[in-house]
Amino acid sequence: MSARPVARATRRSARTRERIIEAATEVFARRGVHGTRVADIAERAGIAYGLVYHHFRNKEEILTAIFAERWAQYVAYLEDLARTPLSFRERMGRLIHFWVETYRHEADLMTVMINEITRSYEFLESHDITAVLAAFDPIERIIAEGRLNGEVRADLDAQLATYVVLGVAEMVLTGYVIGSLQRIDQEAFARDEQQLLALLLDGMSTPRP
Amino acid sequence: MSARPVARATRRSARTRERIIEAATEVFARRGVHGTRVADIAERAGIAYGLVYHHFRNKEEILTAIFAERWAQYVAYLEDLARTPLSFRERMGRLIHFWVETYRHEADLMTVMINEITRSYEFLESHDITAVLAAFDPIERIIAEGRLNGEVRADLDAQLATYVVLGVAEMVLTGYVIGSLQRIDQEAFARDEQQLLALLLDGMSTPRP
Amino acid sequence: MSARPVARATRRSARTRERIIEAATEVFARRGVHGTRVADIAERAGIAYGLVYHHFRNKEEILTAIFAERWAQYVAYLEDLARTPLSFRERMGRLIHFWVETYRHEADLMTVMINEITRSYEFLESHDITAVLAAFDPIERIIAEGRLNGEVRADLDAQLATYVVLGVAEMVLTGYVIGSLQRIDQEAFARDEQQLLALLLDGMSTPRP
Amino acid sequence: MSARPVARATRRSARTRERIIEAATEVFARRGVHGTRVADIAERAGIAYGLVYHHFRNKEEILTAIFAERWAQYVAYLEDLARTPLSFRERMGRLIHFWVETYRHEADLMTVMINEITRSYEFLESHDITAVLAAFDPIERIIAEGRLNGEVRADLDAQLATYVVLGVAEMVLTGYVIGSLQRIDQEAFARDEQQLLALLLDGMSTPRP
DNA sequence: GATGAATGAGTCTTCATTCAT
DNA sequence: GATGAATGAAGACTCATTCAT
């Protein structure tokens, strides 16, 4: 009964839990939460499906865990950004870069967050929507600050603009996800970042002389 | 021996079919396709449950019908707009107005189209994605034309900009749908339209002198 | 309100009824009673399916009608044969010929009688099995008489032999029905008749000298 | 880390599977495949009905399994018999004895094989009919050999005679199954065996002097 | 008589969840 | 902790039958 076996067990258990989350993220991304059977997750994780219930009360709770553990990181990044003393343009550039990079490295996670969390009536119903909307706050603050220091138009509705910014991110990432926007090399993504930044900050119109 | 009984029967049958589609749109919007039982649709339509199967092979096919019959109208409007000889700014204004108006009058339809069609991996998997993407074409054309006649920046990627425009529309409508963007009176919506048009065309930045 | 319209209607009605029976025989033969939907019968008969219920209380009753109207004819033939003063060999020859001919001209009817009546637990459960077994009687009598007049072995169990005779008929007809016994021309069928007669009367063994 | 838990689980699983097959054989025999609900099988097997679906994809597959596992045994017996160097008469005697014995000990299995496999259009449609007809081959060979060594009439059509033999078996067994041929004691069955052998080999006719 | 829209009971099938081993 | 057999609620779908027109 030394502490070690427990520790080992705990460590192993934690690894199993993490494996389940990773496996769930993959299959949720591919088939949606509803279209995924617990058995699919277990199979992907290489464990017996009964074991999933040692770590999570039910399927829904796996999604909740994904949300709890990843969304917080995401919001934390946004909060950091909102606190960093940079120009509005610089901040927006970083924001866009963050989204594109996250998609590139964790496309499945991004897909799940977009489809099953941000968009899911069911998820929003059964969870504290505040946590979801927490991602909106720092962006709104960034915009509001930009307005205060004159970088952003004075007449801009910061709340609405926040939706615009997030909508742009979501749709472009969705284009990546479903493959209708095909980008292969680093350069193509970089070009998109510049385009998006220009679009959001300067609009589509030809600048008046 | 007149054709009337048939005609009457057909008319009645057509009305039932239409009722099912309307009922399905409502409950799909509220609970999602997966969360909706065929019994819910029938109840909402005020008919017996089995009758749904006289008109549609299965639940999925109801969604397909909603898509087939409404998306085409939507695309038709976009195509019309793309053919109308107006300035780019005017066209974009009409486009945004159309979305806001459609949401205001057919919020459920809009919700279903956004959540269950545009965003559904499952739907996109099992249908001809071309029909969905048909909505992108006229918008891309409008942008490309604007670029040709100098209203739109020459360096703009028209395809990417199309995703931006649609992403903005989707997210703002989603805000309306879930109630996180509360707009009550006509005026509030009108203000949003102006804001969105300005955002898309002129960007968030304070115009350089 | 002359008698004629009624008469015409009645005649027409009778024809519709007959058509339903014919159509049912066809589809029952192909798919079995259980595998057949009332709609299939109506479609085959070229009528609306509701009309079936003007003529028959339910699907089962159509089978009952087929049985009642055709089995009686069959039994009547057997009874006739049992009354005709012919040698045992001649009678058996006619019996076999009758089966083969009936199959050739009314394969579907034969199939239904074999599969859905003679063999169906359900049918035998819900009907007076006596009527079915009525077909066994005349054959048993023919055999018993043959035994009396010395044409048939004295030690033969007439009841068991009846089953043998009917079993032979059924299996060979089944071979025809499913196509594992392929017979095309008249001659092939005639040869089978001779073979079957020889088999039943003289057995398979080489005659002892 | 031993293989035992798996082995135990497998053994248990195998027993459940076997139980389902036995239960299904019983209820299929009584009510037919169509008339049987999966719930009936589960109830008879004393298990929850969902468990049936852990072992079989659907109801049809249970029948397929019964067929696959039992028909092969049956054919194997016939093949053995066809290889055993015995006289034709002896072989036919054993064949008939085998059928009667099998019926006496596994009446339900025999019923299902006769009603739901041999006779079912649906079954024959959806399966490889070759496997069913495999039972015909050894019998045909036994007959053909008998003809070669002079025990069987030279002019006998071996294929047709095979149908006759199987038809006899089927109908007599059906008589047992539905109770129209009542046999209670061992002796009665033994007498039937003798009668059938005599009938098939020597025919019904009084032997010519 | 004729039509086919409408009804709803009966089943199959899936799969999240429990639990004995 | 790990396994996967077992459970059974939930819901999709079929189709015989009724009935208004």
Side-chain angles (χ1 to χ4, degrees), chain B residues 5 20 34 48 72-73 79 94 112 118 121 143 145 162 173 185 200 202:
Chain B
I20 293 170
H34 272 296
Q73 286 175 21
E79 289 288 354
R94 292 200 181 188
V112 171
T118 303
Y121 183 83
I143 295 171
E145 274 179 40
T162 302
L173 294 177
D185 55 11
L200 283 170
D202 307 316

Side-chain angles (χ1 to χ4, degrees), chain A residues 31 34-35 122, chain B residues 28 31-37 59 116 122:
Chain A
R31 290 200 264 277
H34 263 112
E122 226 170 292
Chain B
F28 283 170
R31 290 200 263 277
V33 170
H34 272 296
T36 297
R37 288 166 302 171
K59 192 169 69 167
E116 305 295 334
E122 224 178 326

Side-chain angles (χ1 to χ4, degrees), chain C residues 23-24 26-41 59:
Chain C
E26 278 183 56
V27 289
F28 283 170
R30 210 172 312 286
R31 291 201 264 276
V33 171
H34 262 111
T36 298
R37 289 164 301 175
V38 173
D40 296 331
I41 300 171
K59 188 169 73 163

